[in-house]
Amino acid sequence: MAYDERLARFRQAHLNPFDKASEPPPQERPDGGDPDPGQRLEPSPGDPESALDLGLAEDHFSRPVGLILASDVQQLRQAIEECKRVILALPEHSERQKDAVVRLIHLRLKLQELKDPGEDEPNIRVVLEHRFYKEKSKSVKQMCDKCSTIIWGLIQTWYTCTGCYYRCHSKCLPLVSKPCVRAKVSHQAEYQLSICPESGLDSQDYRCAECRAPVSLRGVPSEARQCDYTGLYYCSSCHWNDLAVVPARAIHNWDFEPRKVSRCSMRYLALMVSRPVLKLREINPLLFNYVEELVEIRKLRQDILLMKPYFITCKEAMEARLLLQLQDRQHFVENDEMYSLQDLIDIEAGRLSCSLTEIHTLFAKHIKLDCERCQAKGFVCELCKEGDVLFPFDSHTSVCTDCSAVFHRDCYYDNSTTCPKCARLSLRKQSLFQDSSMEAEP
C-alpha cells in the first residue's frame, strides 16, 4: 500500500498539463474509505502543492528551470510573493520546499536582470574626476560605496575608479557627489598633522560632512560617527568604521593603533601611505631621541647615499641594476630626511630595519669585494698612512666636509691640524693664482 501511495504522489507531481482539464474527479468508495490510490488526486486551489504544480513541478512539457514565463517586473514580483507563500506553507526540509526555494532564486535573479540591465553600459565613465571602468569579475562580492549595499557581480553591473578605487553600482553613478581623492593627492599631497581636530557636531549643522545627511549622536535619524583623521562627523553610509593608522598619532605619539576613519579618509590614506611627504626633523625632531630604530635607519640611508656615486659610475653595478633593490622606496636613494607613513609602520614592526640591512650588506659587498673598479675608488688615511683601504660608508671612518676625503675616525679627531687634502688643494690654488698674476704683468 505504501508503494501505491508513493506512486500516486509521483504521478500527481508529474501531471501532463493537457490532461488536467479533462481529468475526472476522484471517485469515493461506497464504504467511505480512501479513494483508489491508482486514481489521480486533484489538489485543492489553496493547497501549496497546487501552486507548485502550476509553475514549479517538472513534466515532459514544462520549460527549462532557468526560463521564466513572466515578462515584466510586476508579474515577477507577484510570482515571487506567491513562491514565498508556498515555501512557508510547505513542510520544513522537504524536497518540494527545496525546489520552491530554487525557483524563488531564479525568479529573483530574473527580476534583478530586468531592473539592472548591463549589456549596453559603457566600459569607461568619468564622473567628478573619477575614471570609472566597468568590472568584468562576476564572482567577487563587493560593497557599493554610495548606497552601502552588496554588489552582486553575477547579475549587477558595477564600476571601479582607477584612481581611488571607489566602487559602486552602475545605477549609483549619477548619485556620486564626492570628487576623486586622487586629484587631491596629486595637487595637495600632505597630511593632517593635528590629532583628531574635532570642532563639534554643531559646527557641521548636525549634518554629515560628506553627503550632508542629517545626523545626531543619539542615532536619530542617522548615527553620527567621528573620523579620527579629520575630526569630522559622518553618517553610517559615509563612515563604515574602517580602521587605519592615523599619521598624526604615529608622528607625535609613535602610536600605530588603527583608528576608525571615514570612507573618504580611508581612500586618501591608502593613496598617501607610500608617498614620502613626512620630514621628521622638522615635524618632530625629538622623535629620534626616543626611537632607536629611527637612528639606525637614518644611518643606513646615509650610507646608501654615499654608495650611490659608486654605482652610478660602475658599469657592472649598472648592468646588475643594484639600485633597483630599492625601487619600492626610491626616496631612500635621493635623500635621508623624507619618510612615508609606510616607512614608519615598517620601522615600528621591525621589517624595514632587517630588509635595509640586507640591502646595505649587498651594496657594501659589491664595492669592497666584488668590483675592482669600485675598490680602486677607495681612500687611504693620509694622517696615519696605515691600515686598509677606506670607504666613506665604513663605520670607523670620518669624512671631511670640505673635500670629502676619508680618514680613520680616531686619526681625524685626534689630529688638531687641518685636513691634508684641503691644505694641498689650498696651496695648489694659491700657486695657480700667483702664476696667472705673473703672466698678467707686462
Side-chain angles (χ1 to χ4, degrees):
M1 188 65 182
Y3 172 77
D4 295 337
E5 290 181 359
R6 291 198 299 270
L7 179 60
R9 291 182 178 275
F10 175 81
R11 289 176 177 175
Q12 176 190 348
H14 293 76
L15 290 177
N16 191 329
F18 296 102
D19 294 339
K20 290 183 179 179
S22 60
E23 186 176 304
Q27 299 294 331
E28 295 184 358
R29 291 187 176 183
D31 57 356
D34 295 334
D36 186 3
Q39 296 180 355
R40 295 180 180 177
L41 301 178
E42 184 71 22
S44 61
D47 189 2
E49 294 187 358
S50 65
L52 284 175
D53 198 27
L54 293 176
L56 299 176
E58 292 186 9
D59 54 59
H60 296 289
F61 300 93
S62 62
R63 290 174 170 80
V65 175
L67 187 59
I68 310 300
L69 296 176
S71 59
D72 59 2
V73 175
Q74 186 63 28
Q75 292 180 8
L76 280 171
R77 286 176 176 170
Q78 293 177 359
I80 288 174
E81 293 300 325
E82 180 66 20
C83 197
K84 289 180 181 179
R85 187 188 66 78
V86 170
I87 292 173
L88 295 176
L90 287 171
E92 290 287 337
H93 307 295
S94 63
E95 292 297 328
R96 298 185 66 81
Q97 189 187 48
K98 293 179 181 178
D99 294 339
V101 171
V102 173
R103 191 66 170 177
L104 177 62
I105 293 173
H106 286 297
L107 288 171
R108 284 181 168 174
L109 290 175
K110 184 64 177 177
L111 177 63
Q112 190 61 46
E113 289 178 2
L114 292 179
K115 291 172 62 177
D116 185 27
E119 297 297 332
D120 299 331
E121 293 285 348
N123 291 328
I124 304 175
R125 298 182 66 175
V126 179
V127 179
L128 293 177
E129 298 184 352
H130 292 278
R131 190 172 180 84
F132 288 104
Y133 274 79
K134 185 166 67 172
E135 291 289 347
K136 304 296 184 182
S137 176
K138 300 296 184 181
S139 59
V140 180
K141 185 174 69 174
Q142 303 287 351
M143 297 293 293
C144 178
D145 285 311
K146 182 58 186 176
C147 64
S148 304
T149 58
I150 296 176
I151 300 175
W152 298 99
L154 183 63
I155 59 177
Q156 292 178 320
T157 305
W158 57 292
Y159 288 82
T160 300
C161 176
T162 58
C164 63
Y165 307 105
Y166 187 99
R167 301 182 181 92
C168 67
H169 300 96
S170 61
K171 61 184 179 182
C172 296
L173 279 180
L175 305 178
V176 175
S177 58
K178 194 71 175 179
C180 181
V181 297
R182 171 74 71 176
K184 181 180 178 182
V185 171
S186 302
H187 299 114
Q188 188 182 3
E190 59 184 11
Y191 286 117
Q192 168 64 256
L193 295 180
S194 298
I195 298 178
C196 194
E198 181 183 5
S199 57
L201 193 55
D202 56 338
S203 63
Q204 299 178 207
D205 196 21
Y206 294 91
R207 293 184 177 274
C208 173
E210 183 172 345
C211 67
R212 306 305 297 168
V215 294
S216 69
L217 295 177
R218 296 181 178 179
V220 180
S222 179
E223 178 188 4
R225 299 178 179 178
Q226 188 181 27
C227 174
D228 197 83
Y229 174 67
T230 62
L232 301 176
Y233 289 89
Y234 298 83
C235 65
S236 57
S237 297
C238 301
H239 194 313
W240 296 1
N241 289 330
D242 295 312
L243 299 177
V245 176
V246 179
R249 295 184 181 274
I251 295 173
H252 295 294
N253 298 339
W254 201 245
D255 179 10
F256 293 89
E257 181 181 355
R259 310 281 175 161
K260 294 180 179 180
V261 296
S262 65
R263 293 293 296 172
C264 182
S265 299
M266 182 71 177
R267 288 190 291 271
Y268 182 76
L269 293 175
L271 292 175
M272 287 284 294
V273 69
S274 299
R275 288 181 172 258
V277 297
L278 300 174
K279 198 170 186 178
L280 295 184
R281 289 182 181 177
E282 294 183 359
I283 301 173
N284 187 8
L286 296 178
L287 196 61
F288 290 90
N289 298 336
Y290 297 95
V291 183
E292 297 180 358
E293 292 82 358
L294 277 177
V295 179
E296 179 184 356
I297 295 298
R298 182 176 61 183
K299 179 63 172 67
L300 291 173
R301 292 182 63 176
Q302 291 173 349
D303 290 347
I304 289 175
L305 289 177
L306 294 174
M307 296 177 185
K308 180 181 177 181
Y310 289 86
F311 296 144
I312 293 177
T313 57
C314 177
K315 182 180 178 181
E316 295 181 3
M318 295 299 291
E319 291 178 352
R321 303 194 176 194
L322 292 178
L323 290 177
L324 288 182
Q325 298 287 334
L326 293 170
Q327 59 181 347
D328 295 333
R329 306 180 196 268
Q330 287 292 323
H331 53 287
F332 279 15
V333 295
E334 296 174 357
N335 57 74
D336 63 336
E337 296 182 348
M338 306 302 295
Y339 292 82
S340 66
L341 181 60
Q342 187 63 52
D343 294 339
L344 302 184
I345 294 174
D346 292 341
I347 290 173
E348 194 274 338
R351 294 188 297 266
L352 183 58
S353 178
C354 295
S355 61
L356 203 59
T357 301
E358 293 179 0
I359 295 174
H360 182 278
T361 303
L362 177 65
F363 287 179
K365 179 175 178 294
H366 171 82
I367 295 174
K368 302 175 69 173
L369 299 176
D370 297 341
C371 182
E372 295 182 357
R373 293 187 181 91
C374 294
Q375 293 178 24
K377 298 173 185 175
F379 293 82
V380 176
C381 180
E382 297 186 32
L383 296 176
C384 66
K385 295 181 174 53
E386 296 178 357
D388 299 331
V389 178
L390 304 179
F391 293 90
F393 50 84
D394 288 335
S395 59
H396 59 285
T397 61
S398 295
V399 181
C400 177
T401 56
D402 296 328
C403 65
S404 300
V406 181
F407 308 92
H408 291 113
R409 179 175 299 173
D410 296 337
C411 299
Y412 187 74
Y413 287 107
D414 293 344
N415 197 313
S416 59
T417 60
T418 59
C419 169
K421 186 176 180 180
C422 290
R424 187 168 60 253
L425 292 175
S426 178
L427 292 175
R428 185 179 301 173
K429 288 180 181 179
Q430 292 179 2
S431 62
L432 291 176
F433 178 75
Q434 292 176 358
D435 294 340
S436 61
S437 61
M438 292 177 61
E439 293 177 358
E441 293 179 359

